[in-house]
Amino acid sequence: MDYTLALLFSLTLVSLCTAAPLPVEVVKMKSKVKWMAEQLVVRLDKDFQAPPGLRLSPPADLDGLPSIVTVLEGYNSLISDSLSRVSQIKFEISSLTGYLSQWRQGHCSEQQPKPSVLEPLQKLQSRKEFIHTVTIEALMRVKEFLNLLLKNLDQLETC
């Protein structure tokens, strides 16, 4: 009897101390998102520099998949097609948000409503008449947001 109890105790400890491996699909999804986000950051660094004196508030908090999609879609909608070299960036942001939306639909059983628009995004939306200024700020905010996402890829698991 003591041997069985000791064995059971040992197995319980082992199961508590070992983390469950992530499903292969989650690892693949994170890897793809990481690659897409890194490519976007490289392109943004290469093609767009923050104008001198531009001060941005800290990037939005990551609050799971719905907020990540909402933030990226919101900034992408503010990027004007009339500025040169943005069409590829807009396409890549759309590809990333499309991929994340598809993932969410296929893997998140509980669909939460889209979160509300964040304050920095609301401020930019209210200044749409300054199209090029808004575009540059939106591009810089996307870059900051993607860098934050790259440091917090675990947020992608939160539906």
Side-chain angles (χ1 to χ4, degrees), residues 37-82:
E38 286 172 343
Q39 295 301 109
L40 254 166
V41 168
V42 166
R43 188 176 306 284
L44 285 163
D45 279 340
K46 186 180 105 190
D47 293 344
F48 299 96
Q49 298 303 314
L54 178 65
R55 301 269 185 253
L56 300 176
S57 57
D61 287 335
L62 297 174
D63 193 21
L65 212 41
S67 75
I68 293 167
V69 170
T70 298
V71 168
L72 290 173
E73 285 176 342
Y75 285 130
N76 203 24
S77 72
L78 293 173
I79 299 170
S80 168
D81 292 321
S82 66

Side-chain angles (χ1 to χ4, degrees), residues 71-157:
V71 168
L72 290 173
E73 285 176 342
Y75 285 130
N76 203 24
S77 72
L78 293 173
I79 299 170
S80 168
D81 292 321
S82 66
L83 196 63
S84 64
R85 301 183 319 264
V86 297
S87 59
Q88 183 63 34
I89 288 179
K90 286 186 65 129
F91 175 78
E92 290 180 26
I93 294 171
S94 292
S95 295
L96 177 56
T97 55
Y99 177 75
L100 291 172
S101 293
Q102 270 188 313
W103 169 265
R104 183 174 171 225
Q105 287 175 354
H107 294 86
C108 295
S109 55
E110 243 180 71
Q111 296 290 325
Q112 296 175 346
K114 277 193 166 185
S116 59
V117 177
L118 303 165
E119 185 181 339
L121 185 54
Q122 285 175 330
K123 284 182 183 177
L124 274 179
Q125 287 172 335
S126 70
R127 298 185 306 187
K128 282 185 180 176
E129 67 272 14
F130 305 109
I131 192 88
H132 292 296
T133 303
V134 168
T135 294
I136 293 296
E137 186 171 336
L139 290 167
M140 296 302 106
R141 288 189 176 280
V142 165
K143 183 169 73 170
E144 282 190 343
F145 189 75
L146 290 172
N147 281 321
L148 182 64
L149 176 60
L150 287 167
K151 293 175 187 167
N152 297 282
L153 288 171
D154 288 343
Q155 285 292 316
L156 294 170
E157 294 177 53

Side-chain angles (χ1 to χ4, degrees), residues 6-20:
L7 182 61
L8 181 61
F9 180 73
S10 297
L11 289 174
T12 304
L13 276 179
V14 168
S15 67
L16 289 175
C17 296
T18 27

